[in-house]
Amino acid sequence: MDLPVDEWKSYIFQKWSLLPKSIQDTISTADTLRDIFLHSSSLLQPEDEMFLKSLSRGYLVGKDPNAPPFYREEGNKKFQKKDYMGATVLYSKGISHAKPHSADISLCYANRSAALFYLDEYEMCLKDITRAQMHGYPESLQPKVTLRKVECLVTLGRLQEAGQTIRDLESNFAAKPSLAAAQFQILQRNLCRLKMKVQERENLTASFPATLTKAFEDMDLREENEQIPGASSSVSLCMDPLKGRYLIATKDILPGELLVKEDAFVSVLNLGERPPLHHGVESKWDTQVTNGDLYCHRCLRHTLATVPCDGCSYAKYCSHECMQQAWDLYHNRECPLGGLLLTLGIFCHIALRSTLLARFEDASKVIRKLCVEMTNKDMCSPESENLAQTPSSDLGGESEKNGKTVKTPVPGCNLNGKYENNYNAVFHLMPHTENHSPEYKFLCALSVSALCRQLETADSSKPATAPPAWCSELSTWGVAMLKHMLQLQCNAQAVTTIQQPALSGSKENSVSNSRQVRLATGIFPVVSLLNHSCSPNTSVSFISTVATIRASEKIGKGQEILHCYGPHRSRMAVAERQQKLRSQYFFDCGCPACQKEKHQAAVGPRWEAFCCDRCGAPLQGGDILSCGSTSCTEPVSRDRLIPRLQDLRQQVGQARKLFGSGQLERAIQLLLGCRHDAESFLSAEHSMVGEMEDALAQAYAALGDWQKSATHLQKSLRVVEVQHGPSSVEMGHELFKLAQLFFNGFAIPEALNTIQRAEKVLMVHYGPCNDEIQELQKMKSCLLDLPPISLGPSV
C-alpha cells in the first residue's frame, strides 16, 4: 500500500475540509516545501496523534510469546498433511515471534528444518539445524536433528563432514549409557543406514554432478559509462527545457543489449494485502502467506528460511548478515515504529529510509544543502527543479551571464558532472509540488510530521542511539521526507518478480503459470532518467534489488531510450492511458503509439474486437457497429454486446473457481460452453478468447492431458502475439509454458523448436541468468538424450 490506510486518509481529508479558508489558502499558496511542512505540522493536534496510534496498534508487529506455540502447532498440522511449504511458512511465523535463545525459537527452527528437508532444500535445512542448536535446542532431541544433518550432508556430497558427524554422534551415544534401549536401537539402525549411504556415495564421488551456479557475470555492463555509473557507454545523458533529463543512444544498439544495471538507492518490501487486525476476532495471529514471509526485507531475495529481527516480528531477512546490515543502516530506527510505518504506507516508509541512508553520506554537508534549497522561494516551481533550461547533447547546458558563457550543471550531478546513485541524485528528482492537490500535500505533510514526532520521542528516551546531526535537524529532515513523498508518485519504481504457481498438482509434471507481481517499491536514480513511451524500446527486469534495462528492439544512434511507466499500448486503450498518465504523472503522452491510435479510435485494437455473427468479420464503429460487408447490412448496438461479454467473463471466473476446488471436468465443460458462445460475437483474437483457451490449457494440464493442453495453449498464444507482439516478454513466458507441455508429453521435435523460440525471446528481455532460460536449457539437454516420440501435429 503506497499511501496511508484509508482511515487515516479520510481523517486528514476531513480535517482539511474543516480548516478555515484562510489557512487552506496559506498552505495552498506556500512558496516552499518548508512552509508547507511547517504550516501543516503546526496543525497536528494530540488527538490526531492518538487516532493514528490507535490505527497503528491494529498491526501485530511486536513479539507475542503466545504466538510461537500456535504457529508451531498449525505448522505441524500442515506437515502431517505433507504440505511442507505451508508448514515452512507457519514455522517461520512462529520464529519471528519467539525470543532469541528460547525453547520456542529452537523448536520452530528444528521443525522448519524438517519441512525444508522434504522440500529438498538441504542447504537451508542445515542452516536451520545450526540455528536450532545455537538457540538451545533440547539435548534429548539432538540425535534427531543430527541424523537429519547427516542425511543432508550425504545428499550434498559432503561426505567427510557426514562421516565426522556420524563419529561424533556415536561418541555421544557411548557417553550416555542411560539412553533407553528402544531409542538406542532405532538410532543405531539409522546410523548404520547412513554409514552405508556414505560408503555408497564415496564410490560415486567421481560422477557426482557439480552444483549449477548462476552466471551473474553476464549482468555486468560491457563498458560502463564514465559519467553515469550503472549505465552503458552506449547511452548519454541530455537535457531539454520541456522534458528535462533523458537518455539517448550514442551508437546503434541491438536487441538484448544491457543498457542499465542499477541497485536501488532504497527499497521497501510490499507485504501485500494485510488489513489491520481488529479486536474480537477469533484469532489474532495471521496464517496468510505474504511477501513478507517469502522475501528478504533488505535484499528482496526469495527465501523459505527467514531470519527475524530480534526486536520485532515483521522484519525478516534471508540471513543474519542481511539482518545486521539492515539494522546498522536503518532498522535500528524503524524497529519500534513498525505499526506506524505500515499505517502510513510505503511512500512514507521510503521517505524515512531515504533520509536515514543519507546520514551515511556526510550528513553535515547534506543538511547544509537542505537548509539552503528548502528555503529557496522557487523550490516548489519546476524552474528550480530543472536547473538547466537549455537543451544540450552533453551533461550540461550553457547560458550567457555578464557576457560570459556559463555551463549549468544537470540537476543531480556532482561538481565533476557525474550522475551517481546517491542521495544527491535522489534529492534532485522532481517532486512536482505544483501539480499535487493541496489536500494531498496536507496528507503527506501531516503524515511526515506525525512520524517525526515519534522519532523525537524515541530520541528523547534513547539519546545515544541517534547521531547528533539527525536529532538536532529533525525538522529539516522532515522537510526532506515531505519532498521524497511527493517525488514518489512520479519517480517510484515497482520492483517486480515472476511468480510461477504450478498448473498441475504433480511436482514432477508441473507446468508454469507465471505472472508478474509487484514485490517492492524502490528509488532508482538512473532508471528515473528514462522518459515514458506507451510502446517502449526497452525492457526492465529485476534480480534482488538490482534493476536491469535491456534494449527490446534495435535502437538507432541518437534515438531516445524509452521506458514504459505502466500504461502500455498492449494493455490499455489510448484514452485510458492518457487519463492514467495525466492523473499520476502530470503529462499528456505524445508517443507514436498514442498518435497513431488517436487517428484509429473508431477501429479499436484487434484484441478487443467484436465480430459479425453472420460472416465472422470484425465489427467497426462507435455505438453502432457493422462489419462493412454488403451481404451483412444489419448493424448491431455495442450496448447489446457488452452485457454478453460481461456474462462470459463472469462464467470464466466461475470456471476458474471450479478449477481451484479440484472440479476439473465441470470447469472444462463450462469453459467449452463459453468458447462456443464466444464464437458468435467475439473475434478469434479477442483477449477473452485467449483467456478461455489459457484456462482450458491449465485444466487439461492438471489432468495430465498434455496434447489437449498444448492445443489450447497454442490458440491462446496467437492472441498473446496479436496483443503484445511476437518478441514481447509476454510471448516469451507463454512459449516457456508451451515448451513445458511438449516436454512433459515427450514431444521432442516440438519441444526443442519451442524451447529455441522461447530462449530467443526471453534472452532479449532478461539475459542468460534468468530462471526460465536456465530451465529451458535443462529441458533441452534432457530431450537431446531421448528418442523422438511425437505428441501430434502442432496446431
Side-chain angles (χ1 to χ4, degrees), residues 696-709:
L696 283 165
Q698 291 182 49
Y700 282 117
L703 291 173
D705 192 333
W706 309 115
Q707 181 174 352
K708 286 186 178 179
S709 181

Side-chain angles (χ1 to χ4, degrees), residues 12 132 213 310 352 383 420 424 468 532 593 685 759 761 764 776:
I12 295 301
T213 57
D310 290 340
L352 169 63
E383 288 78 11
E420 299 180 291
N424 182 52
H532 167 81
E685 296 167 343
E759 279 185 313
V761 174
V764 168
L776 288 167

Side-chain angles (χ1 to χ4, degrees), residues 202-213:
E202 283 175 342
N203 295 331
L204 297 173
T205 300
S207 61
F208 190 81
T211 303
L212 291 174
T213 57

Side-chain angles (χ1 to χ4, degrees), residues 244-384:
R245 301 166 295 184
Y246 63 100
L247 297 179
I248 64 166
T250 58
K251 63 179 184 180
D252 290 344
I253 297 172
L254 296 176
E257 183 175 336
L258 182 60
L259 303 179
V260 174
K261 176 191 173 186
E262 181 184 25
D263 199 354
F265 174 80
V266 61
S267 63
V268 171
L269 183 68
N270 175 26
L271 299 179
E273 293 300 323
R274 189 178 176 183
L277 302 165
H278 298 284
H279 299 291
V281 295
E282 185 176 343
S283 174
K284 61 180 179 179
W285 297 305
D286 180 26
T287 57
Q288 182 181 356
V289 181
T290 69
N291 287 339
D293 301 310
L294 299 175
Y295 294 89
C296 177
H297 285 225
R298 192 196 76 83
C299 72
L300 305 182
R301 291 184 185 274
H302 183 270
T303 178
L304 295 176
T306 55
V307 178
C309 167
D310 290 340
C312 66
S313 63
Y314 77 96
K316 306 170 190 177
Y317 306 94
C318 64
S319 64
H320 179 80
E321 291 73 21
C322 257
M323 178 183 71
Q324 191 60 51
Q325 288 178 31
W327 182 264
D328 293 340
L329 290 171
Y330 50 78
H331 192 62
N332 59 352
R333 305 303 308 279
E334 296 176 357
C335 186
L337 304 176
L340 180 63
L341 292 172
L342 290 171
T343 304
L344 293 178
I346 289 177
F347 281 3
C348 196
H349 196 164
I350 290 179
L352 169 63
R353 190 171 290 183
S354 297
T355 53
L356 290 172
L357 291 173
R359 296 176 301 161
F360 297 93
E361 295 185 15
D362 189 356
S364 59
K365 181 179 178 181
V366 175
I367 287 173
R368 287 196 300 271
K369 184 179 183 66
L370 288 172
C371 290
V372 171
E373 298 204 30
M374 291 300 184
T375 55
N376 184 344
K377 183 174 181 179
D378 297 321
M379 195 60 200
C380 294
S381 68
E383 288 78 11
S384 66

Side-chain angles (χ1 to χ4, degrees), residues 501-513 659 664 697-706 741 744:
L503 294 186
S504 69
S506 170
K507 182 179 177 180
E508 292 76 15
N509 293 326
S510 63
V511 176
S512 168
N513 184 25
F659 172 79
L664 299 176
Q698 291 182 49
Y700 282 117
L703 291 173
D705 192 333
W706 309 115
L741 292 174
N744 289 340

